[in-house]
Amino acid sequence: MDLLDTLTAKGLRGEVPTREEALAVLATTDDELLDVVAAAGKVRRRWFGRRVKLNYLVNLKSGLCPEDCSYCSQRLGSKAEILKYTWLKPDQAADAARAGVAGGAKRVCLVASGRGPTDRDIDRVTDTMAAIKEADPAVEICVCLGLLSDNQAERLKAAGADAYNHNLNTSENTYGAITKTHTYADRVDTVQKAHGAGLSACSGLIAGMGETDEDLVDVVFALRELGSDSVPVNFLIPFEGTPLAKEWNLTPQRCLRILAMVRFVNPDTEVRIAGGREVHLRTMQPLGLHIANSIFLGDYLTSEGQAGQADLDMIKDAGFEVEGAGEATLPRHRADIAEAAQAGGGCGTAASACGSGGGCGPCGGHSHAPAQAATDAPAAEEPEDELRSDLVKVRRRGAGTELAPNA
Ligand code: SF4
């Protein structure tokens, strides 16, 4: 297929495809799916070999958020029966993080619900990072606290944070349909603040909220322009008790096409399969590893993932290997850009532009999103016949509970 030959050639050179080529990936048929995966796999192996980076989520503060992100089980008015608790103490968070690191995680993601942190919250996270790094100085820490105010990113950087997560989630055009309490521009601003402070930017999207193919391509190109070093691809988990509970628009094949499109647009960027992996890719998860080079280990923020050992077995069985603490994730030229940005205190992007931001990141799949209901945009694909709510399992173990995590 000419399209895939073109995309492969561009990806191997680290070039970004055209918007039309990205849209064409989403329009491929199921008969072409393995060819799409194989083409994206060549690009993935060119820049990331057979390594899989493991990330581990620690939900520092769960539920009771005043924001109204429609995809989120922690949102204002959510009836989802998730765990609700206020800030974990540093030693509690460090214990949770230790389980993930022991399971093979290279990065720990510290997440708290809420619009954004107070300066006191930054102090709490500073203490938590110190406790984690005391136990394991090599662990990468990504912080996800929502919208940042001036100087908070600098404080997190000085306290030892390596990265900041704030997802754009969906296109600028549809953002107002999923959230009313903050804007797409707010999200862009926070990503820029994090980048400007020298933190690695982790920013991604949620698919399956009723968005169009054009929306997906828009947000993925926006993330490339922002210079996100890591792009988490969440697949909406339609929690009962949230506005998007009935949004079952994804098939495993659709998820793989979306991952491939994200890979072609971000050939040399970390692409992470985030929340919804088990729910939507299901038995096709190993094919996702041929496209993405990063996943979460074990559970998500408010929902359960498959057992951490099952993640490790899947990686091994599929012929991949867990990325070690001493191995660089990004290719050298991307790492140089990131380091230059950190040294200069400015945003450094692969594609030159910088920008983006947002509230707390739903990476880790506590989400649901409502774009279609609010915009009347046509679904990109026929929904599945069944609402597979039986696949959504609320997290009842790990951080905030007396039970051990499943990492
Ligand atoms: S995504 Fe973050 S800001 Fe939005 S409702 Fe959920 S916890 Fe709150």
Side-chain angles (χ1 to χ4, degrees):
M1 178 191 273
D2 288 346
L3 170 69
L4 295 179
D5 289 343
T6 299
L7 290 168
T8 302
K10 287 188 173 181
L12 294 178
R13 295 193 298 265
E15 293 176 14
V16 176
T18 65
R19 179 184 164 82
E20 289 68 32
E21 289 165 343
L23 283 167
V25 173
L26 297 179
T28 53
T29 67
D30 286 353
D31 286 346
E32 297 164 324
L33 184 63
L34 285 182
D35 294 328
V36 171
V37 172
K42 286 179 186 168
V43 178
R44 180 249 204 261
R45 290 193 301 278
R46 165 71 178 87
W47 300 107
F48 300 96
R50 302 191 77 88
R51 305 188 308 278
V52 177
K53 181 176 181 177
L54 295 178
N55 308 271
Y56 189 68
L57 285 158
V58 178
N59 202 0
L60 298 176
K61 174 173 169 280
S62 181
L64 308 170
C65 184
E67 299 295 288
D68 70 348
C69 308
S70 303
Y71 51 82
C72 182
S73 59
Q74 306 186 77
R75 75 190 293 269
L76 177 71
S78 170
K79 300 284 192 297
E81 295 179 350
I82 59 166
L83 293 172
K84 297 184 180 73
Y85 52 84
T86 189
W87 290 92
L88 296 183
K89 292 185 169 48
D91 60 328
Q92 293 173 314
D95 285 347
R98 197 171 300 121
V101 174
K106 178 179 183 180
R107 171 174 286 194
V108 169
C109 307
L110 301 176
V111 186
S113 63
R115 178 179 174 84
T118 64
D119 287 344
R120 170 73 185 115
D121 295 336
I122 299 290
D123 291 340
R124 296 180 213 270
V125 175
T126 295
D127 294 344
T128 296
M129 288 193 290
I132 292 171
K133 294 230 174 188
E134 182 179 0
D136 189 344
V139 70
E140 288 181 14
I141 296 181
C142 181
V143 182
C144 176
L145 307 175
L147 298 169
L148 292 174
S149 302
D150 289 347
N151 298 319
Q152 290 184 326
E154 285 77 6
R155 290 188 60 202
L156 290 170
K157 173 70 178 172
D162 298 285
Y164 195 83
N165 166 262
H166 202 61
N167 296 329
L168 292 187
N169 292 329
T170 191
S171 70
E172 183 172 13
N173 281 343
T174 55
Y175 199 83
I178 64 164
T179 300
K180 304 290 186 203
T181 48
H182 60 263
T183 66
Y184 181 90
D186 290 333
R187 289 199 166 255
V188 169
D189 178 68
T190 283
V191 177
Q192 289 175 326
K193 280 188 168 79
H195 226 162
L199 294 164
S200 177
C202 174
S203 187
L205 64 142
I206 306 170
M209 302 195 289
E211 70 283 340
T212 63
D213 285 2
E214 287 75 12
D215 289 323
L216 285 173
V217 168
D218 282 351
V219 69
V220 173
F221 272 85
L223 291 165
R224 181 70 182 180
E225 286 294 303
L226 274 173
S228 180
D229 295 321
S230 169
V231 178
V233 181
N234 292 278
F235 300 111
L236 176 71
I237 301 177
F239 270 89
E240 291 295 332
T242 65
L244 297 186
K246 304 293 184 244
E247 292 285 329
W248 286 89
N249 301 317
L250 297 168
T251 63
Q253 293 77 19
R254 170 82 171 160
C255 293
L256 290 169
R257 279 191 283 273
I258 291 168
L259 285 171
M261 185 272 285
V262 176
R263 169 57 70 204
F264 289 126
V265 178
N266 295 275
D268 50 3
T269 298
E270 176 184 336
V271 174
R272 185 182 311 168
I273 315 175
R277 164 164 59 92
E278 295 90 339
V279 172
H280 292 293
L281 279 168
R282 304 196 284 275
T283 56
M284 294 293 104
Q285 290 181 66
L287 283 182
L289 295 178
H290 287 269
I291 306 171
N293 63 298
S294 178
I295 64 172
F296 285 105
L297 176 73
D299 288 340
Y300 301 96
L301 297 175
T302 62
S303 65
E304 290 186 356
Q306 67 186 16
Q309 188 58 52
D311 290 335
L312 298 175
D313 291 345
M314 175 179 72
I315 290 167
K316 184 177 179 187
D317 290 348
F320 292 88
E321 58 196 31
V322 174
E323 185 172 287
E327 295 180 281
T329 299
L330 292 176
R332 189 64 245 172
H333 68 282
R334 285 299 313 267
D336 287 346
I337 291 170
E339 285 168 12
Q342 291 176 14
C347 115
T349 75
S352 83
C354 63
S356 113
C360 96
C363 70
H366 51 284
S367 6
H368 330 294
Q372 185 179 359
T375 64
D376 293 330
E381 185 162 294
E382 288 296 313
E384 292 183 282
D385 291 335
E386 319 174 64
L387 305 183
R388 295 300 310 273
S389 48
D390 58 305
L391 297 175
V392 180
K393 294 186 170 48
V394 173
R395 182 173 69 83
R396 299 282 178 222
R397 60 195 174 200
T401 77
E402 297 298 317
L403 301 177
N406 75 340

